[in-house]
Amino acid sequence: MSLQQDIMTKMKEAMKAKDQTALAALRAVKSAILLAQTESGAKEMLSEEDEIKLLQKLVKQRKDSASIFTEQGRDDLAQPEIDQAVIIEQFLPEQLSEEEIESVVVATIDDIGASGMKDMGKVMGIVSKALAGQADGKTISTIVKQKLM
């Protein structure tokens, strides 16, 4: 089942259950998919890789908003954002643990012979492609910095 069909099924379930938070999150995903499909030059259907990037972007937006609301002392606004992020994350592939990411980073550093921070771009490029959809870029970046210092 494609992501779009999956979203529609979940939307129907959320409507029947009168779950407004889930419904808002799913509508946002549906809207983002439709926008991506109608962009100039976009294909009829998005590739799975594009769908994952889109979902990651939506989750990141929700988490960033929640952290800003929390910093401002607006937990009443932060909680729905966190709830929506959790709902959207259901459609992402399972995320790797930090230990698993670290092992990929160490292997990549050994493979290309990276020796310092000047090689961070090379390492990040390779690791980001290898772990696309399975790890957050911020987490990868943090681990790469630790290993190259």
Side-chain angles (χ1 to χ4, degrees):
M1 194 183 297
S2 75
L3 176 66
Q4 202 164 5
Q5 292 170 331
D6 211 11
I7 296 292
M8 290 302 294
T9 304
K10 294 286 186 181
M11 273 180 68
K12 289 174 188 171
E13 291 172 13
M15 284 179 193
K16 288 176 183 173
K18 297 190 184 339
D19 184 352
Q20 294 302 314
T21 304
L23 196 54
L26 296 169
R27 282 183 174 151
V29 173
K30 182 182 174 199
S31 171
I33 291 171
L34 290 174
L35 280 171
Q37 286 177 341
T38 57
E39 283 179 356
S40 58
K43 297 179 286 300
E44 186 79 20
M45 295 296 290
L46 294 176
S47 69
E48 191 172 333
E49 185 178 303
D50 290 337
E51 289 174 346
I52 290 172
K53 285 180 183 176
L54 187 98
L55 291 172
Q56 285 178 323
K57 178 181 160 191
L58 292 172
V59 169
K60 185 177 185 315
Q61 285 175 344
R62 300 296 180 291
K63 288 184 176 179
D64 289 348
S65 295
S67 68
I68 291 170
F69 288 142
T70 304
E71 286 173 16
Q72 301 295 323
R74 295 297 307 267
D75 292 333
D76 58 317
L77 296 175
Q79 194 56 48
E81 295 289 330
I82 293 168
D83 294 343
Q84 286 184 20
V86 169
I87 291 164
I88 297 169
E89 283 176 337
Q90 294 172 357
F91 299 100
L92 286 170
E94 193 168 322
Q95 301 293 298
L96 296 176
S97 69
E98 287 198 21
E99 292 78 28
E100 293 168 319
I101 297 169
E102 194 170 323
S103 67
V104 173
V105 168
V106 169
T108 303
I109 289 171
D110 291 343
D111 288 348
I112 66 170
S115 59
M117 289 304 286
K118 68 182 186 316
D119 296 324
M120 184 173 172
K122 290 181 196 171
V123 176
M124 281 295 297
I126 295 168
V127 173
S128 293
K129 282 182 185 164
L131 301 180
Q134 297 177 323
D136 179 39
K138 189 174 182 180
T139 308
I140 295 171
S141 173
T142 304
I143 293 172
V144 169
K145 282 179 187 173
Q146 289 173 351
K147 297 297 174 187
L148 289 178
M149 288 192 159

